């Protein structure tokens, strides 16, 4: 009886499995069943015409100033007509309760079936209140604070009518030339996964239907962060092992955390555009990972399949994208114009359409939009929540935690309040815009607390000279940012001030829009004449505290060699100046750790800690080993690095293994002591190395970290627990495998951690 039952149960499973293999071979769509569609959705699906279904799969950019009269001409007119006839499922870049409500009213009251719209926006780091850029937040390694920051962003954005964000970006990147590193979690798949998950949880909260939670999007699937030579939108060429072990894990973590949508990417993967990539979207995401949400294309990425040379025309691109699992078209006008014909001609099956629509409607249902389409349109909340003073406290908290102290050799920091004369020099010290960074659509220009304002707020007396301008042109998200500043007329005044002062705080770096999308750079120095200014000031007063504001790792080699103190402040958002002052004055003891390796020179890029050993690791005295003849292999600052105003000592590392218990497979304990004179926080990091494997493993891999607060002289024993999966890796078919053998375990304050124990695990 039991055998019979097992066979009966197994038949459909085997059949589906065979079908999947067969279909993926032929590259025809495998449409997984969308789990638990509600009756309402099924009923709707039965009532919908093909045009209405395709409408749900279509997203338009903000097209009509809804607070004005209904448009009667041009681009907005036809989009408006589409809205009324149910040919639009989502819009982006429309915000504000009044705008959103008016547009939602057209969809709900004037279209035949009254299906509410999704309102999407790039809510990337805060909204009206701006948090540090994501790369900076990642430097906090503080998952609770990161989650809280995303929560705050969701509260503010949802109060302005938004119900869907295109975040988190979880693209791993090893290349600081790529401007979008500012948007992600850095170079490490483990840290990136934890951060991606925390941000999804923050945006989506415990209940997606609450009026203060929004649907999140893990983007960009996949490989976008590996654009060759750091040039945005460039070709991506990655090996299978890197794809499975480095690029994909953060996406998987977001899917496991229940992310509502996934955005595909502009690049190709093995020659197939991600947007038309059956393997990524259907086999992996919907299949192996059991993803319940929907896939949105990136902006115009369906159309770009033509430029990639993968589709002959928009009709061809439409067929390929839809079949490959791109459920919603953002701004290619592909589905709205070509999908109907493709279905009628049998080139896209009705089940592909139904699957996409079901997935999209499911998210609308989960957001509670069918019960109340105006759930996010409460004018009272809009008045109260964006820029709420409690949010400033949240933004300040994470801003302080994001700062990384890179150098403090002579303990020049923290500054003493009795300092006789402080000079502040540099264009970014008075800048209220750059600290807001890129991707901050909800915010108002010039609303960051500048460094000068931060010092003023704490009654620190100083004298200021700008010294130089950062950029000449007015810059915005949509303008090209070029630095052609050559004016040195401010140098003399800056040099004079430096000469007369005891200490100089120099605030240098990048303009807020010099990183972000389309902002790749070949040089990672200080743009314009800032380096010259720095050296000119240094010539008269070497006692310089350098504060670096940037959206990416810069090459700070000269500064490291010549200056006593360097603070990496990134772009810290609304509370920037307060956070920086707190660190400079010692009101906050810095605890940030780098989420990306800082190179010594651009020629070392891509540079990352979790590299393979190579066949010629060296160093040997001969020429023929893996090295440069003009530069060391070592980075300037390694991944995980960051100093504190106190010191920490690690000792007594112990490892134990329990073969029977997968969840507690290996336990690692270590004693951590604060050996300095003040309280501080250390991010204790655990790395492993799998010495011999069928597929070579990196020299180190982060597998755990803990934030440990210790008073002066206090010590604690900390324990890391590793699951068997943590010692496993993905083979080249994407299967997680464990191979017995010798493993090394390292614990320390950065990826150079040298305290080490090993275990042979059979
Ligand atoms: C970006 C996406 C973004 C979208 C909508 C694209 O250019 O690559 O990350 O979400 O625009 O603004």
């Amino acid at each position: 009886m039991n055998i019979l039952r097992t066979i009966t149960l197994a038949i459909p499973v085997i059949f589906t499995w065979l079908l999947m293999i067969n279909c993926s071979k032929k590259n025809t769509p495998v449409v997984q069943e969308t789990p638990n569609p509600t009756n309402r959705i099924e009923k709707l699906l039965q009532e919908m015409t093909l045009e209405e279904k395709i409408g749900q799969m279509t997203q338009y950019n903000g097209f009509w100033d809804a607070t004005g009269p209904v448009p009667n001409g041009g681009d907005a007119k036809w989009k408006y007509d589409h809205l009324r006839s149910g040919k639009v499922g989502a819009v982006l870049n429309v915000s504000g309760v009044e705008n959103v409500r008016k547009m939602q009213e057209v969809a709900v009251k004037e279209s035949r079936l009254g299906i509410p719209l999704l309102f999407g926006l790039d809510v990337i780091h805060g909204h009206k209140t701006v948090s540090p850029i994501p790369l900076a937040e990642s430097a906090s390694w503080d998952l609770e604070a990161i989650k809280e920051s995303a929560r705050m962003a969701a509260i503010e954005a949802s109060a302005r009518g938004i119900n869907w964000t295109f975040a988190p970006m979880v693209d791993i990147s090893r290349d600081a030339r790529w401007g979008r590193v500012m948007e992600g979690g850095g170079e490490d798949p483990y840290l990136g996964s934890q951060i991606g998950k925390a941000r999804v949880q923050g945006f989506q909260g415990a209940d997606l239907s609450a009026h203060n939670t929004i649907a999140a999007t893990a983007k960009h699937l996949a490989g976008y962060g590996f654009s060759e030579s750091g040039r945005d939108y460039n070709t991506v060429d990655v090996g299978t092992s890197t794809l499975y072990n480095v690029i994909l894990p953060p996406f998987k973590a977001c899917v496991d955390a229940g992310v509502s949508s996934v955005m595909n990417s502009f690049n190709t993967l093995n020659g197939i555009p991600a947007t038309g990539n059956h393997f990524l979207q259907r086999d992996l995401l919907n299949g192996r990972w059991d993803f319940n949400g929907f896939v949105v294309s990136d902006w115009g990425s369906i159309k770009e399949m033509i430029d990639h040379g993968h589709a002959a025309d928009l009709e061809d691109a439409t067929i390929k994208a839809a079949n490959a699992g791109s459920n919603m078209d953002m701004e290619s006008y592909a589905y709205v114009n070509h999908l109907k014909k493709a279905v009628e001609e049998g080139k896209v099956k009705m089940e592909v359409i139904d699957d996409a629509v079901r997935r999209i409607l499911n998210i609308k249902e989960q957001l509670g939009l069918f019960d109340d389409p105006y759930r996010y349109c409460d004018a009272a909340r809009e008045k109260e929540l964006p820029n709420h003073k409690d949010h400033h406290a949240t933004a300040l908290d994470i801003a302080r935690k994001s700062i990384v102290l890179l150098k403090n050799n002579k303990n020049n920091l923290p500054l003493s309040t009795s300092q006789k004369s402080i000079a502040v020099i540099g264009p970014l010290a008075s800048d209220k815009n750059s600290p807001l960074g890129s991707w901050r659509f909800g915010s108002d220009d010039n609303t960051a607390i500048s460094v000068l304002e931060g010092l003023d707020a704490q009654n620190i007396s100083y004298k200021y000279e700008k010294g130089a301008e950062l950029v000449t042109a007015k810059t915005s998200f949509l303008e090209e940012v070029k630095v052609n500043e050559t004016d040195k007329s401010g140098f003399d005044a800056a040099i004079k001030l430096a000469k007369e002062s005891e200490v100089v705080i120099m605030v240098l770096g990048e303009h807020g829009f010099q990183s972000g999308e389309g902002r790749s750079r070949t040089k990672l120095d200080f743009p314009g004449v800032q380096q010259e200014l720095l050296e000119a000031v240094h010539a008269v007063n070497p006692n310089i505290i350098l504060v670096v504001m940037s959206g990416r790792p810069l090459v700070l080699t000269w500064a490291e060699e010549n200056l006593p103190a360097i603070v990496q402040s990134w772009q810290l958002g609304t509370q920037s100046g307060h956070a920086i002052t707190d660190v400079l004055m010692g009101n906050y003891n810095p605890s940030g750790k780098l989420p990306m390796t800082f190179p010594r020179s651009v020629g070392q890029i891509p540079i990352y800690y979790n590299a393979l050993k190579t066949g010629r690791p060296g160093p040997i005295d001969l020429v023929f080993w893996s090295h440069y003849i003009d530069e060391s292999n070592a980075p300037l600052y390694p991944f995980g690095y960051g100093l504190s105003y106190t010191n920490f000592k690690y000792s007594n590392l112990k490892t134990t293994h329990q073969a029977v218990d997968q969840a507690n497979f290996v336990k690692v304990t270590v004693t951590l002591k604060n050996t300095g004179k003040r309280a501080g926080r250390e991010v204790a990091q655990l790395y492993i190395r799998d010495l011999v494997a069928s597929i070579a493993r990196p020299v180190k891999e982060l597998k755990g970290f803990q934030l440990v607060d210790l008073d002066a002289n206090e010590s604690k024993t900390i324990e890391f627990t590793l699951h068997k999966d943590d010692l496993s890796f993905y083979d080249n078919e994407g299967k997680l495998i464990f191979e017995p053998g010798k493993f090394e375990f390292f614990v320390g304050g950065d990826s150079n951690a040298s305290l080490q124990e090993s275990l042979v695990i059979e």
Side-chain angles (χ1 to χ4, degrees), residues 431-434 436 440 444-448:
D431 194 329
K432 290 176 65 58
N433 218 21
S434 284
L436 299 175
R440 35 106 177 161
D444 300 316
D445 281 349
N446 295 305
T447 47

Side-chain angles (χ1 to χ4, degrees), residues 92 122 166 180 219-220 263 266 298-299 330 439 517:
L92 75 151
D122 292 276
F166 308 124
R180 296 195 81 166
K219 70 187 188 187
H220 308 84
M263 187 184 288
F266 292 129
D298 202 348
W299 180 290
M330 181 197 283
W439 286 117
E517 185 174 349

Side-chain angles (χ1 to χ4, degrees), residues 33-42 292 358 361-363 365-366:
E33 219 170 276
T34 320
N36 310 322
T38 58
N39 288 341
R40 173 152 55 189
I41 291 174
E42 285 310 314
N292 297 342
R358 217 176 252 125
L361 296 182
N362 246 352
I363 297 300
E365 174 89 299
Q366 284 172 27

Side-chain angles (χ1 to χ4, degrees), residues 489-528:
S489 58
F491 274 33
D492 286 348
I495 292 166
K496 182 168 175 288
L497 176 63
K499 248 189 212 161
E500 297 162 0
S501 310
E502 201 178 355
V503 61
V504 185
I505 300 171
M506 288 199 77
V507 189
L508 306 177
E510 294 184 307
H511 183 278
F513 291 122
Q514 269 165 344
S515 55
E517 185 174 349
R519 271 56 176 217
S520 298
R521 296 183 63 198
T522 60
K523 302 175 199 74
L524 295 179
D525 52 6
F526 295 124

Side-chain angles (χ1 to χ4, degrees), residues 44 56 88-90 104 107-108 111 113-119 361 364 368-374:
L44 256 180
Q56 287 306 305
V88 185
Q104 192 71 295
V108 171
S111 74
L113 293 171
I115 300 176
L117 296 165
L118 287 171
F119 287 86
L361 296 182
K364 292 188 176 184
L369 288 172
F370 287 110
D371 294 326
D372 177 6
Y374 310 107

